Amino acid sequence: MKTLLNNNELNEALYGVSNLGFVPTMGSLHKGHISLIKRSLKECSKTIVSIFVNPKQFNNKKDFINYPKNTKKDLSILKDLEVNFVYLPNKNDIYNSKRKTKIKLYKHDKVLCAKYRKGHFEGVIDVMGRLIKIIKPKKVFMGEKDFQQLYLVKKYIKKNKSIIVPCKTIRDINKLALSSRNLLLKKKELNIAGKLIKNLISFKKKLNKDRNIKKALSKKRKEIDKLYKVKIEYLELRSIKNLKVSDKIKNSKIFISYYINKVRLIDNI
Ligand code: AMP
C-alpha cells in the first residue's frame, strides 16, 4: 500500500493507472467504509481510499473539532485490506485551485439535511468535485447511508466521467447504521439509537397498509419523542428518485435526523 501525502506523490503514483476505484472517506473507518472498499477491490484493478475531514462541509466548528480521528488505526485497516493507495491530502492540496462556478443548491433541493445544515452539501459537492478532478477514478463508491449526499453528488457534479456506485447501508447487529459518529455515543445511547431504528424499520413494514401516511408519520414522531427522548430534526417519507415528499411507500424511504445528547445521527429506511 502506498501512502500519498500530497498531490505530487499522488500524480506520480497514479500515472498510467486505469480502472481505478475511489472510496472517499473522512476516516475513523468501520465496516460500512470497509464494504465500499471491498466492492472497489472487487470491481476495479486498483483502489484508492482518501481520508480527509473536509472543514468546508461542517457548518458547526465544534462538530468539526470533535469529529473522531483515528489515522493510525485506519492505515492498519487499509493495509490489511490490501488497498493500493491511501491519499491523505492537506487542505492546500484540495483547495489550491479556484473553482470557476460557485455551488448553489436549487431551492427544491434544500430539504432534509440541506435545510438544517446550511452550506453542508455545497461543501460536500465542492470537495467531491475537486477530489474526482484530482484522482480521475473510473468508479467512485459511495454509501446509501448518506442517501441525500449520494443523490446531490450525482446531480450536481456535471462534467464527471467517473461512475458513482451506490452501496448498501451496513448496520450493526442492533440495526443502527454504522457511522464514525457512533464513536461519540455512550453504550446506553447506542442502545437507544438501535431501538429507535428497529422501531422505524417495523413501522415502515406496516406503513404499507396505512392509508394516511402523513398522519401515521406525525404520530410516530410523537411516539419516538416520548419513548427515546431524542430530539428529532426531521422524519419524512420521500421519493428515492427526486427526494420529493411522498405519500406512497413504493420507491420511497423514511428519512430521519435526530440528536442523542449533542450527537447528530441520520438514517434512511
Ligand atoms: P464518511 O467517512 O462518513 O464521510 O463516509 C464515507 C463513505 O462511507 C460515504 O460514501 C458514506 O456514505 C459511506 N458510509 C458511511 N457509513 C456507512 C454505512 N454504515 N454503510 C455503508 N456506507 C457507509
Side-chain angles (χ1 to χ4, degrees), residues 205-246:
K205 281 184 191 144
K206 285 181 222 143
L207 206 55
N208 252 334
K209 292 175 204 118
D210 215 313
R211 264 173 286 150
N212 193 337
I213 288 186
K214 216 173 156 193
K215 206 169 152 195
L217 274 167
S218 146
K219 206 171 144 204
K220 181 53 70 180
R221 186 175 174 143
K222 282 186 195 132
E223 183 197 303
I224 288 177
D225 270 343
K226 216 168 156 191
L227 274 178
Y228 310 114
K229 312 236 168 350
V230 296
K231 192 179 149 238
I232 297 180
E233 217 169 45
Y234 59 74
L235 178 72
E236 295 172 16
L237 186 77
R238 285 184 179 261
S239 153
I240 54 169
K241 294 205 174 125
N242 52 25
L243 288 189
K244 283 193 178 140
V245 172
S246 169

Side-chain angles (χ1 to χ4, degrees), residues 36 141-147 149-150 165-169:
L36 270 54
F141 296 85
M142 297 183 73
E144 286 179 353
K145 152 79 174 43
D146 301 284
F147 195 91
Q149 165 173 287
L150 187 56
V165 184
C167 303
K168 287 262 159 298
T169 301

Side-chain angles (χ1 to χ4, degrees), residues 148-163:
Q148 191 178 14
Q149 165 173 287
L150 187 56
Y151 170 82
L152 292 174
V153 163
K154 264 197 200 162
K155 182 167 171 178
Y156 282 83
I157 303 184
K158 295 257 169 58
K159 285 182 217 137
N160 174 19
K161 285 192 197 132
S162 310
I163 302 160

Side-chain angles (χ1 to χ4, degrees), residues 23-36 50 52 57 67 128 141-147 149-150 165 167-172 176-182:
V23 183
T25 82
M26 297 208 294
S28 282
L29 303 180
H30 50 67
K31 285 182 185 146
H33 297 114
I34 292 173
S35 73
L36 270 54
S50 66
F52 179 59
Q57 71 187 66
Y67 196 84
M128 282 302 299
F141 296 85
M142 297 183 73
E144 286 179 353
K145 152 79 174 43
D146 301 284
F147 195 91
Q149 165 173 287
L150 187 56
V165 184
C167 303
K168 287 262 159 298
T169 301
I170 305 297
R171 298 181 179 279
D172 212 340
L176 180 63
L178 295 177
S179 163
S180 308
R181 287 178 193 272
N182 294 357

